Amino acid sequence: MIIDRFLDQTYKHFYKQRDAANMERERLGLEIAKRFLKHQGFERIVEHPKNLTKSRFGIDMLAVKDGETYLFEVKATEPSYLGFALKRAPFEISKQSTNAKYRKEIEKIHPPVKYIGAIVVTYHYSWRYLNRYQLYFWVNRYGKRENY
């Protein structure tokens, strides 16, 4: 129901107000990610943690499960951009979590950050009749270096 409502709103904006459509898409991605994490048993979920994010840019979500803290980057995209999003999301959260701008604040979080992750939601936001949604979930230990 949330996705259908979102698609109605986004479709109205898609051709005339691209920025508005992108904001709606981001909002939907965060909402889906939050519900997914709740379903997975995460106890506390905070969108755009205030101490880490002064604007809508930066780390998208902080979540706690079994006494361990996770930082997430959330991407909502069309399926045609899936490959790009699957590479970009882990790269962004790794870069943000090691950025000096956020590092001191990340180290203050209790319980300490143990994992970073990415959630990518795909759907045809410009072609509602296709109505196909998929969710990709990636998690890695915080501080571990990987190539993307």
XYZ file of all heavy atoms in Angstrom, residues 12-104:
773
model
N 3.132 11.609 -10.652
C 2.658 12.975 -10.909
C 3.834 13.927 -11.105
O 3.770 14.853 -11.897
C 1.798 13.470 -9.747
C 0.472 12.776 -9.625
C -0.236 13.258 -8.376
C -1.421 12.369 -8.051
N -2.031 12.721 -6.767
N 4.903 13.712 -10.362
C 6.062 14.599 -10.410
C 7.086 14.214 -11.470
O 7.926 15.021 -11.830
C 6.803 14.584 -9.060
C 6.002 15.081 -7.926
N 5.478 16.345 -7.867
C 5.634 14.480 -6.773
C 4.824 16.502 -6.744
N 4.908 15.382 -6.050
N 7.021 12.985 -11.944
C 8.139 12.415 -12.693
C 8.564 13.252 -13.903
O 9.741 13.495 -14.110
C 7.819 10.986 -13.120
C 8.983 10.295 -13.758
C 10.072 9.918 -12.994
C 9.007 10.042 -15.113
C 11.160 9.294 -13.552
C 10.097 9.410 -15.689
C 11.164 9.039 -14.908
N 7.608 13.685 -14.710
C 7.971 14.390 -15.932
C 8.109 15.892 -15.738
O 8.838 16.551 -16.471
C 6.951 14.103 -17.031
C 7.030 12.660 -17.471
C 6.084 11.740 -17.062
C 8.088 12.219 -18.254
C 6.185 10.412 -17.444
C 8.193 10.889 -18.637
C 7.237 10.005 -18.230
O 7.340 8.691 -18.595
N 7.448 16.460 -14.747
C 7.478 17.909 -14.567
C 8.461 18.363 -13.503
O 9.124 19.374 -13.653
C 6.074 18.413 -14.216
C 5.083 18.202 -15.330
C 3.717 18.684 -14.930
C 2.734 18.379 -16.048
N 1.362 18.657 -15.681
N 8.534 17.642 -12.407
C 9.355 18.061 -11.266
C 10.265 16.912 -10.851
O 9.994 16.210 -9.898
C 8.465 18.469 -10.094
C 7.525 19.593 -10.428
C 6.514 19.792 -9.324
O 6.189 18.862 -8.605
N 6.009 21.003 -9.208
N 11.349 16.762 -11.549
C 12.240 15.636 -11.288
C 12.808 15.645 -9.871
O 12.955 14.595 -9.261
C 13.375 15.641 -12.289
C 13.418 14.314 -12.985
C 14.450 14.284 -14.009
N 14.813 13.057 -14.589
C 14.056 12.194 -15.206
N 12.781 12.348 -15.250
N 14.568 11.134 -15.774
N 13.147 16.816 -9.350
C 13.683 16.881 -7.985
C 12.663 16.395 -6.970
O 13.002 15.681 -6.025
C 14.125 18.302 -7.637
C 15.403 18.701 -8.362
O 16.106 17.803 -8.866
O 15.686 19.907 -8.416
N 11.411 16.771 -7.154
C 10.352 16.318 -6.247
C 10.198 14.801 -6.341
O 10.019 14.127 -5.328
C 9.032 17.011 -6.569
N 10.279 14.266 -7.554
C 10.180 12.805 -7.730
C 11.345 12.098 -7.048
O 11.163 11.067 -6.409
C 10.146 12.462 -9.219
N 12.537 12.670 -7.154
C 13.701 12.060 -6.505
C 13.582 12.092 -4.994
O 13.965 11.130 -4.316
C 14.992 12.762 -6.948
C 15.342 12.440 -8.378
O 14.912 11.429 -8.915
N 16.106 13.301 -9.005
N 13.052 13.176 -4.439
C 12.850 13.262 -2.979
C 11.829 12.221 -2.527
O 12.010 11.580 -1.494
C 12.377 14.664 -2.586
C 13.424 15.737 -2.786
S 14.771 15.616 -1.618
C 13.959 16.190 -0.157
N 10.765 12.068 -3.293
C 9.745 11.072 -2.960
C 10.339 9.663 -3.024
O 10.056 8.823 -2.189
C 8.548 11.172 -3.903
C 7.696 12.385 -3.667
C 6.999 12.339 -2.323
O 6.504 11.262 -1.929
O 6.950 13.373 -1.660
N 11.168 9.418 -4.040
C 11.796 8.110 -4.189
C 12.699 7.810 -2.996
O 12.684 6.711 -2.453
C 12.579 8.063 -5.497
C 13.115 6.684 -5.785
C 13.832 6.599 -7.108
N 15.086 7.307 -7.035
C 15.460 8.257 -7.880
N 14.666 8.633 -8.857
N 16.631 8.841 -7.753
N 13.469 8.810 -2.565
C 14.343 8.619 -1.410
C 13.520 8.338 -0.156
O 13.846 7.455 0.631
C 15.210 9.860 -1.195
C 16.135 9.708 -0.010
C 17.005 10.933 0.226
O 17.117 11.781 -0.661
O 17.558 11.023 1.335
N 12.433 9.081 0.018
C 11.568 8.877 1.183
C 10.985 7.462 1.203
O 10.935 6.812 2.250
C 10.452 9.928 1.179
C 9.887 10.182 2.555
C 8.913 11.307 2.551
N 7.632 10.766 2.126
C 6.732 11.430 1.425
N 6.949 12.652 1.054
N 5.609 10.867 1.097
N 10.567 6.985 0.050
C 10.023 5.627 -0.022
C 11.096 4.585 0.291
O 10.853 3.641 1.027
C 9.441 5.333 -1.399
C 8.974 3.885 -1.562
C 7.746 3.622 -0.723
C 8.720 3.552 -2.993
N 12.297 4.776 -0.258
C 13.381 3.834 0.014
C 13.671 3.721 1.496
O 13.852 2.624 2.027
N 13.680 4.859 2.190
C 13.914 4.852 3.634
C 12.780 4.157 4.388
O 13.023 3.408 5.335
C 14.099 6.279 4.152
C 15.398 6.963 3.730
C 15.353 8.444 4.075
C 16.593 6.299 4.376
N 11.562 4.395 3.955
C 10.409 3.760 4.615
C 10.436 2.243 4.435
O 10.217 1.485 5.379
C 9.104 4.335 4.055
C 7.868 3.798 4.723
C 7.759 4.153 6.196
O 8.257 5.222 6.615
O 7.164 3.344 6.952
N 10.728 1.786 3.223
C 10.810 0.347 2.966
C 11.958 -0.268 3.762
O 11.811 -1.327 4.374
C 10.978 0.066 1.455
C 9.699 0.459 0.718
C 11.318 -1.397 1.208
C 9.828 0.442 -0.789
N 13.105 0.403 3.775
C 14.265 -0.098 4.524
C 13.944 -0.203 6.008
O 14.293 -1.194 6.655
C 15.472 0.806 4.295
N 13.278 0.810 6.551
C 12.923 0.796 7.973
C 12.007 -0.385 8.288
O 12.227 -1.110 9.254
C 12.232 2.101 8.353
C 12.015 2.206 9.849
C 11.192 3.392 10.313
C 11.365 4.657 9.581
N 10.564 5.761 10.119
N 11.012 -0.610 7.455
C 10.088 -1.732 7.695
C 10.788 -3.078 7.531
O 10.516 -4.022 8.259
C 8.878 -1.621 6.776
C 7.982 -0.484 7.208
C 6.846 -0.285 6.259
N 6.080 0.869 6.672
C 4.792 0.833 6.962
N 4.129 -0.299 6.889
N 4.163 1.933 7.317
N 11.699 -3.157 6.574
C 12.471 -4.384 6.377
C 13.319 -4.680 7.614
O 13.350 -5.806 8.098
C 13.358 -4.254 5.135
C 14.351 -5.376 4.990
C 13.950 -6.637 4.584
C 15.691 -5.166 5.277
C 14.863 -7.670 4.462
C 16.616 -6.193 5.156
C 16.202 -7.448 4.746
N 13.995 -3.659 8.126
C 14.848 -3.855 9.307
C 14.014 -4.241 10.531
O 14.429 -5.102 11.310
C 15.672 -2.599 9.585
C 16.752 -2.290 8.534
C 17.400 -0.944 8.828
C 17.783 -3.392 8.455
N 12.842 -3.641 10.700
C 11.958 -4.035 11.803
C 11.565 -5.499 11.659
O 11.549 -6.243 12.631
C 10.700 -3.156 11.836
C 10.937 -1.803 12.427
C 9.652 -1.001 12.478
C 9.927 0.389 12.989
N 8.718 1.228 12.968
N 11.265 -5.906 10.448
C 10.894 -7.298 10.180
C 12.060 -8.239 10.481
O 11.860 -9.384 10.891
C 10.462 -7.442 8.718
C 9.971 -8.799 8.378
N 10.793 -9.798 7.901
C 8.726 -9.339 8.469
C 10.087 -10.892 7.704
N 8.831 -10.643 8.030
N 13.286 -7.768 10.299
C 14.478 -8.570 10.555
C 14.879 -8.570 12.032
O 15.878 -9.173 12.395
C 15.656 -8.072 9.712
C 15.457 -8.243 8.228
C 15.287 -9.700 7.848
O 16.024 -10.568 8.307
N 14.296 -9.981 7.020
N 14.127 -7.871 12.879
C 14.377 -7.918 14.314
C 15.237 -6.797 14.868
O 15.695 -6.882 16.015
N 15.456 -5.743 14.098
C 16.214 -4.604 14.621
C 15.341 -3.860 15.628
O 14.161 -3.634 15.390
C 16.651 -3.673 13.488
C 17.819 -4.209 12.718
C 17.635 -5.148 11.710
C 19.105 -3.797 13.014
C 18.714 -5.658 11.001
C 20.188 -4.302 12.310
C 19.989 -5.230 11.302
N 15.945 -3.514 16.789
C 15.188 -2.920 17.881
C 15.043 -1.408 17.762
O 14.026 -0.850 18.103
C 15.861 -3.247 19.223
C 15.956 -4.734 19.497
C 17.369 -5.206 19.771
O 18.234 -4.388 20.130
O 17.616 -6.408 19.617
N 16.071 -0.746 17.313
C 16.041 0.715 17.219
C 16.517 1.121 15.834
O 17.565 0.686 15.375
C 16.968 1.311 18.274
C 16.793 2.795 18.449
C 17.697 3.339 19.512
N 18.755 4.060 18.815
C 19.924 4.351 19.324
N 20.231 3.974 20.524
N 20.797 5.029 18.630
N 15.735 1.968 15.174
C 16.075 2.412 13.824
C 15.929 3.927 13.780
O 14.885 4.463 14.148
C 15.162 1.752 12.775
C 15.278 0.229 12.868
C 15.498 2.251 11.377
C 14.191 -0.530 12.157
N 16.982 4.606 13.343
C 16.968 6.072 13.271
C 17.352 6.475 11.853
O 18.438 6.137 11.380
C 17.976 6.691 14.269
C 17.962 8.205 14.181
C 17.698 6.218 15.679
N 16.454 7.212 11.178
C 16.772 7.736 9.849
C 17.630 8.980 9.998
O 17.365 9.814 10.856
C 15.488 8.134 9.113
C 14.644 6.983 8.670
C 13.395 7.463 7.964
O 13.442 8.516 7.299
O 12.370 6.792 8.117
N 18.588 9.145 9.128
C 19.484 10.307 9.125
C 19.864 10.715 10.552
O 19.430 11.753 11.046
C 18.828 11.505 8.424
C 18.508 11.245 6.994
N 19.473 11.045 6.039
C 17.320 11.142 6.355
C 18.890 10.851 4.874
N 17.597 10.888 5.033
N 20.661 9.909 11.250
C 21.015 10.229 12.638
C 21.534 11.660 12.757
O 22.430 12.066 12.032
C 22.121 9.225 12.969
C 22.049 8.185 11.915
C 21.382 8.766 10.736
N 20.926 12.436 13.652
C 21.228 13.871 13.776
C 22.697 14.145 14.081
O 23.267 15.087 13.575
C 20.353 14.491 14.869
C 18.885 14.416 14.567
C 18.408 15.672 13.886
C 16.923 15.697 13.714
N 16.389 14.949 12.618
N 23.313 13.325 14.932
C 24.711 13.581 15.270
C 25.647 13.237 14.115
O 26.791 13.671 14.097
C 25.121 12.822 16.530
C 24.899 11.332 16.415
O 24.089 10.879 15.614
N 25.592 10.574 17.214
N 25.177 12.465 13.144
C 26.021 12.087 12.007
C 25.675 12.865 10.739
O 26.465 12.916 9.813
C 25.875 10.593 11.709
C 26.293 9.645 12.814
C 26.016 8.211 12.400
C 27.757 9.823 13.130
N 24.479 13.415 10.681
C 23.993 14.016 9.452
C 23.375 15.373 9.742
O 22.385 15.454 10.443
C 22.937 13.098 8.810
O 23.489 11.787 8.731
C 22.558 13.558 7.438
N 23.948 16.404 9.183
C 23.403 17.744 9.384
C 22.355 18.089 8.326
O 21.552 18.978 8.500
C 24.527 18.797 9.323
C 25.620 18.547 10.335
C 25.108 18.625 11.760
C 26.238 18.421 12.732
N 25.923 17.595 13.841
N 22.378 17.389 7.215
C 21.395 17.598 6.151
C 20.897 16.228 5.725
O 21.126 15.243 6.402
C 22.047 18.323 4.978
O 22.989 17.481 4.354
N 20.249 16.149 4.581
C 19.780 14.841 4.114
C 20.910 14.018 3.510
O 20.726 12.875 3.147
C 18.628 14.984 3.141
C 18.976 15.616 1.830
C 17.718 15.775 0.982
N 18.079 16.157 -0.361
C 18.287 15.303 -1.353
N 18.173 14.023 -1.144
N 18.617 15.734 -2.545
N 22.095 14.601 3.404
C 23.256 13.873 2.892
C 23.992 13.219 4.042
O 23.972 13.707 5.155
C 24.178 14.814 2.116
C 23.494 15.465 0.961
C 23.106 16.783 1.023
C 23.209 14.738 -0.185
C 22.452 17.380 -0.037
C 22.550 15.326 -1.252
C 22.170 16.663 -1.174
N 24.679 12.134 3.769
C 25.418 11.437 4.814
C 24.809 10.076 5.072
O 24.084 9.530 4.250
N 25.104 9.515 6.215
C 24.631 8.176 6.573
C 23.112 8.193 6.678
O 22.531 9.028 7.362
C 25.308 7.728 7.878
C 26.809 7.557 7.601
C 24.683 6.447 8.408
C 27.670 7.456 8.812
N 22.461 7.263 5.980
C 21.000 7.264 5.893
C 20.308 6.708 7.123
O 19.256 7.194 7.517
C 20.534 6.461 4.677
C 20.827 7.158 3.371
O 20.961 8.390 3.378
O 20.927 6.467 2.343
N 20.876 5.675 7.724
C 20.145 5.001 8.784
C 21.097 4.351 9.782
O 22.139 3.841 9.395
C 19.261 3.931 8.131
C 18.104 3.493 8.928
S 16.972 2.513 7.898
C 16.055 3.799 7.094
N 20.707 4.404 11.029
C 21.412 3.720 12.110
C 20.412 2.741 12.707
O 19.249 3.096 12.905
C 21.847 4.740 13.151
C 22.540 4.221 14.397
C 23.597 5.222 14.828
C 21.576 3.971 15.520
N 20.831 1.517 12.960
C 19.935 0.509 13.529
C 20.692 -0.344 14.538
O 21.895 -0.557 14.407
C 19.358 -0.366 12.425
N 19.956 -0.838 15.559
C 20.566 -1.668 16.601
C 19.835 -3.005 16.653
O 18.606 -3.060 16.654
C 20.489 -0.982 17.985
C 21.056 -1.878 19.070
C 21.209 0.360 17.961
N 20.635 -4.079 16.683
C 20.079 -5.429 16.800
C 21.011 -6.240 17.689
O 22.224 -6.254 17.467
C 19.971 -6.088 15.418
C 19.394 -7.486 15.464
C 19.277 -8.050 14.071
C 18.660 -9.434 14.115
N 18.516 -9.994 12.771
N 20.451 -6.906 18.681
C 21.221 -7.751 19.598
C 22.415 -7.007 20.201
O 23.513 -7.558 20.318
C 21.707 -9.022 18.885
C 20.558 -9.876 18.370
O 19.479 -9.865 18.997
O 20.739 -10.551 17.341
N 22.216 -5.757 20.535
C 23.269 -4.977 21.180
C 24.402 -4.551 20.251
O 25.446 -4.128 20.723
N 24.195 -4.662 18.946
C 25.215 -4.248 17.987
C 24.624 -3.201 17.054
O 23.486 -3.330 16.603
C 25.731 -5.451 17.203
C 26.454 -6.436 18.110
C 27.024 -7.619 17.357
O 26.471 -8.003 16.309
O 28.027 -8.151 17.829
N 25.412 -2.176 16.766
C 24.946 -1.069 15.942
C 25.385 -1.243 14.495
O 26.513 -1.640 14.220
C 25.485 0.271 16.482
O 25.083 0.401 17.854
C 24.965 1.445 15.701
N 24.473 -0.923 13.582
C 24.703 -0.999 12.146
C 24.461 0.389 11.547
O 23.528 1.079 11.958
C 23.708 -1.949 11.480
C 23.798 -3.391 11.886
C 23.460 -3.815 13.169
C 24.182 -4.358 10.963
C 23.516 -5.153 13.523
C 24.240 -5.696 11.304
C 23.908 -6.088 12.586
O 23.956 -7.416 12.932
N 25.264 0.769 10.572
C 25.035 1.983 9.788
C 24.662 1.538 8.376
O 25.310 0.662 7.810
C 26.295 2.849 9.741
C 26.817 3.359 11.072
C 28.123 4.127 10.858
C 25.790 4.246 11.761
N 23.611 2.146 7.809
C 23.136 1.737 6.487
C 23.064 2.899 5.514
O 22.700 4.013 5.877
C 21.729 1.129 6.584
C 21.695 -0.226 7.212
C 21.239 -0.376 8.505
C 22.108 -1.346 6.514
C 21.203 -1.629 9.107
C 22.073 -2.599 7.106
C 21.616 -2.739 8.402
N 23.371 2.592 4.273
C 23.111 3.467 3.133
C 21.927 2.846 2.414
O 21.890 1.633 2.191
C 24.327 3.523 2.209
C 24.132 4.320 0.950
C 23.964 5.803 1.194
O 24.406 6.318 2.246
O 23.381 6.478 0.320
N 20.948 3.658 2.040
C 19.747 3.160 1.375
C 19.674 3.781 -0.017
O 19.829 4.990 -0.171
C 18.475 3.519 2.173
C 17.231 3.048 1.442
C 18.539 2.918 3.573
N 19.445 2.950 -1.011
C 19.270 3.406 -2.385
C 17.935 2.885 -2.893
O 17.594 1.721 -2.695
C 20.377 2.866 -3.303
C 21.753 3.366 -2.992
C 21.891 4.788 -3.439
C 23.284 5.307 -3.185
N 23.330 6.737 -3.138
N 17.177 3.751 -3.544
C 15.931 3.360 -4.191
C 16.084 3.734 -5.661
O 16.361 4.884 -5.984
C 14.756 4.099 -3.564
N 15.913 2.758 -6.534
C 16.234 3.001 -7.934
C 15.396 2.134 -8.861
O 14.773 1.166 -8.440
C 17.731 2.739 -8.175
O 18.065 3.105 -9.499
C 18.088 1.290 -7.942
N 15.422 2.499 -10.128
C 14.812 1.674 -11.174
C 15.689 0.435 -11.390
O 16.908 0.511 -11.201
C 14.757 2.470 -12.482
C 13.735 3.559 -12.488
C 12.620 3.287 -13.477
O 12.673 2.280 -14.194
O 11.697 4.093 -13.504
N 15.104 -0.685 -11.808
C 15.898 -1.887 -12.049
C 17.030 -1.688 -13.061
O 18.062 -2.333 -12.965
C 14.872 -2.897 -12.570
C 13.592 -2.451 -11.961
C 13.668 -0.947 -11.932
N 16.853 -0.777 -14.009
C 17.900 -0.557 -15.014
C 19.172 0.021 -14.385
O 20.252 -0.101 -14.956
C 17.399 0.364 -16.119
O 16.981 1.594 -15.585
N 19.065 0.636 -13.205
C 20.228 1.196 -12.511
C 20.698 0.313 -11.358
O 21.495 0.741 -10.534
C 19.898 2.590 -11.960
C 19.650 3.604 -13.040
C 18.356 4.035 -13.321
C 20.700 4.130 -13.789
C 18.121 4.960 -14.317
C 20.469 5.062 -14.785
C 19.175 5.470 -15.041
O 18.949 6.388 -16.027
N 20.201 -0.905 -11.290
C 20.521 -1.798 -10.170
C 22.022 -2.033 -10.034
O 22.572 -1.945 -8.941
C 19.788 -3.130 -10.315
C 20.145 -4.198 -9.293
C 19.785 -3.724 -7.883
C 19.434 -5.497 -9.614
N 22.701 -2.346 -11.113
C 24.134 -2.612 -11.048
C 24.901 -1.442 -10.462
O 25.774 -1.611 -9.606
N 24.561 -0.244 -10.897
C 25.209 0.956 -10.382
C 24.928 1.114 -8.889
O 25.829 1.375 -8.101
C 24.720 2.187 -11.147
C 25.263 3.471 -10.624
C 26.584 3.838 -10.857
C 24.455 4.326 -9.882
C 27.092 5.028 -10.365
C 24.957 5.517 -9.387
C 26.277 5.868 -9.636
N 23.665 0.931 -8.489
C 23.282 1.100 -7.077
C 23.951 0.054 -6.190
O 24.364 0.358 -5.075
C 21.765 1.030 -6.922
N 24.074 -1.187 -6.685
C 24.704 -2.243 -5.893
C 26.196 -1.980 -5.670
O 26.759 -2.413 -4.669
C 24.513 -3.608 -6.557
C 23.100 -4.180 -6.495
C 23.014 -5.464 -7.309
C 22.660 -4.418 -5.064
N 26.825 -1.284 -6.587
C 28.226 -0.907 -6.401
C 28.343 0.359 -5.569
O 29.218 0.485 -4.712
C 28.901 -0.677 -7.755
C 29.138 -1.942 -8.526
C 29.799 -1.645 -9.849
C 29.972 -2.929 -10.645
N 30.541 -2.667 -11.967
N 27.461 1.303 -5.821
C 27.553 2.622 -5.200
C 27.218 2.602 -3.709
O 27.888 3.259 -2.912
C 26.609 3.590 -5.937
C 26.698 4.995 -5.497
C 27.949 5.613 -6.040
N 28.084 6.929 -5.449
C 29.208 7.582 -5.385
N 30.288 7.074 -5.901
N 29.270 8.747 -4.830
N 26.168 1.898 -3.311
C 25.723 1.928 -1.913
C 26.793 1.427 -0.941
O 27.120 2.128 0.022
C 24.420 1.152 -1.755
N 27.393 0.244 -1.150
C 28.460 -0.188 -0.225
C 29.662 0.753 -0.250
O 30.279 1.020 0.785
C 28.853 -1.578 -0.735
C 27.675 -2.055 -1.496
C 27.054 -0.823 -2.095
N 29.983 1.275 -1.428
C 31.099 2.215 -1.541
C 30.811 3.470 -0.713
O 31.669 3.939 0.041
C 31.333 2.584 -3.010
C 32.337 3.678 -3.192
C 33.696 3.415 -3.077
C 31.929 4.967 -3.476
C 34.624 4.430 -3.235
C 32.849 5.988 -3.638
C 34.197 5.722 -3.522
N 29.594 4.020 -0.837
C 29.243 5.245 -0.103
C 29.276 5.043 1.409
O 29.813 5.876 2.128
C 27.855 5.744 -0.523
C 27.867 6.501 -1.809
C 26.518 7.104 -2.141
O 25.724 7.372 -1.206
O 26.256 7.304 -3.329
N 28.700 3.959 1.906
C 28.666 3.768 3.362
C 30.074 3.519 3.891
O 30.414 3.983 4.977
C 27.678 2.649 3.794
C 27.445 2.676 5.305
C 28.139 1.285 3.361
C 26.751 3.891 5.823
N 30.906 2.830 3.137
C 32.290 2.623 3.566
C 33.037 3.949 3.622
O 33.761 4.235 4.575
C 33.016 1.679 2.610
O 32.439 0.418 2.666
N 32.838 4.770 2.614
C 33.504 6.068 2.543
C 33.011 6.989 3.664
O 33.803 7.652 4.331
C 33.216 6.686 1.171
C 34.069 7.810 0.804
C 34.981 7.342 -0.297
C 35.576 8.555 -0.944
N 36.967 8.551 -1.018
N 31.692 7.030 3.865
C 31.120 7.897 4.895
C 31.560 7.470 6.288
O 31.865 8.305 7.132
C 29.591 7.890 4.809
C 29.064 8.573 3.584
C 27.608 8.260 3.343
O 27.001 7.467 4.046
N 27.046 8.875 2.321
N 31.578 6.170 6.535
C 31.892 5.697 7.886
C 33.369 5.875 8.238
O 33.725 5.862 9.411
C 31.471 4.239 8.062
O 32.196 3.403 7.199
N 34.214 6.037 7.239
C 35.629 6.283 7.519
C 35.990 7.760 7.359
O 37.119 8.146 7.641
C 36.532 5.439 6.592
O 36.219 5.747 5.242
C 36.352 3.964 6.858
N 35.042 8.572 6.951
C 35.256 10.000 6.754
C 35.515 10.678 8.100
O 34.789 10.462 9.071
C 34.018 10.604 6.088
C 34.189 12.042 5.705
O 34.915 12.797 6.344
N 33.504 12.433 4.647
N 36.514 11.525 8.155
C 36.864 12.228 9.402
C 35.693 13.051 9.924
O 35.535 13.228 11.133
C 38.076 13.119 9.171
N 34.845 13.515 9.014
C 33.680 14.325 9.387
C 32.730 13.552 10.319
O 32.143 14.113 11.219
C 32.956 14.740 8.108
C 31.763 15.598 8.285
C 31.229 15.950 6.896
C 29.978 16.771 6.973
N 29.446 17.080 5.641
N 32.585 12.257 10.082
C 31.665 11.431 10.867
C 32.373 10.538 11.878
O 31.756 10.045 12.810
C 30.829 10.539 9.941
C 30.067 11.295 8.886
C 30.312 11.073 7.540
C 29.103 12.220 9.230
C 29.611 11.755 6.560
C 28.402 12.908 8.261
C 28.657 12.671 6.927
O 27.967 13.352 5.966
N 33.640 10.271 11.682
C 34.387 9.273 12.476
C 34.272 9.486 13.985
O 34.008 8.547 14.724
C 35.855 9.288 12.039
C 36.689 8.201 12.637
C 36.462 6.935 11.903
N 37.284 5.888 12.506
C 37.388 4.703 12.003
N 36.749 4.393 10.911
N 38.104 3.807 12.598
N 34.493 10.713 14.454
C 34.431 10.972 15.899
C 33.040 10.705 16.452
O 32.893 10.148 17.541
C 34.858 12.409 16.199
C 36.335 12.643 16.020
C 36.710 14.059 16.350
C 38.189 14.281 16.090
N 38.583 15.661 16.291
